Amino acid sequence: MAGDRIGPDAAALQLEAESLGGRLADFLGTRGHELPRVFVLDEIRFGFQATEVNEAGQLQAAGLAKTLVAYPAIRLTIQGHADRAETDRQVLSEARARTLYQYLLDNNVDASRLQVAGFGATDPISKGDDSESRRQNRRLAILVE
């Protein structure tokens, strides 16, 4: 319902409703949302031992930045993850989170609103040992507070 809105939604921010930025905007713009809440950045994919964000992930990060600029009171923790086959998992997961952190800073999100945490391989979303399962575990998530 339009009366339940307390801020801009995906359409107002010119974001696809299904995108991370759109889902986050719709969540934050609705009265009665409960925080904290975790969102997985499902378009950001990392190669093995890599910290570079793929092209689709860059688009997702852009939508996230746009939403955060529209909601300046929101704070978040960027959570980096690695797969168990990677080396230096803790350092690597933090470096992945710092990649998004820097992108958000470069796109007008104030550093005081952001924290970075690396989880290494301690919180897998896929328990399999195949390459697809490991790829799914090389991810970023955000804890919205």
Side-chain angles (χ1 to χ4, degrees):
M1 299 182 132
D4 290 343
R5 304 262 356 128
I6 58 172
D9 62 3
L13 294 175
Q14 298 179 334
L15 296 168
E16 295 290 327
E18 306 82 38
S19 71
L20 173 73
R23 288 181 287 144
L24 181 59
D26 287 345
F27 171 73
L28 294 172
T30 303
R31 190 174 311 284
H33 61 262
E34 292 188 29
L35 294 176
R37 179 159 175 198
V38 174
F39 290 85
V40 175
L41 284 83
D42 52 353
E43 294 293 325
I44 293 180
R45 296 288 180 231
F46 295 102
F48 185 76
Q49 293 293 135
T51 59
E52 296 82 26
V53 174
N54 59 330
E55 190 174 326
Q58 291 174 12
L59 293 173
Q60 191 169 51
L64 173 60
K66 192 173 197 177
T67 301
L68 291 174
V69 168
Y71 288 92
I74 295 299
R75 297 176 158 322
L76 59 89
T77 300
I78 303 165
Q79 303 174 336
H81 298 271
D83 83 60
R84 62 183 173 182
E86 295 176 298
T87 58
D88 294 323
R89 292 178 291 274
Q90 183 64 37
V91 171
L92 183 59
S93 64
E94 287 178 20
R96 288 175 174 159
R98 289 206 175 281
T99 298
L100 179 59
Y101 172 86
Q102 188 60 54
Y103 180 88
L104 295 174
L105 292 181
D106 292 345
N107 285 274
N108 303 314
V109 178
D110 190 85
S112 67
R113 302 172 55 196
L114 306 172
Q115 293 184 8
V116 172
F119 287 86
T122 63
D123 189 22
I125 57 173
S126 181
K127 303 288 186 192
D129 199 28
D130 58 288
S131 62
E132 177 58 23
S133 296
R134 289 191 306 271
R135 185 188 66 78
Q136 289 175 15
N137 291 327
R138 296 188 300 262
R139 70 189 189 282
L140 292 177
I142 54 170
L143 172 67
V144 181
E145 305 173 274

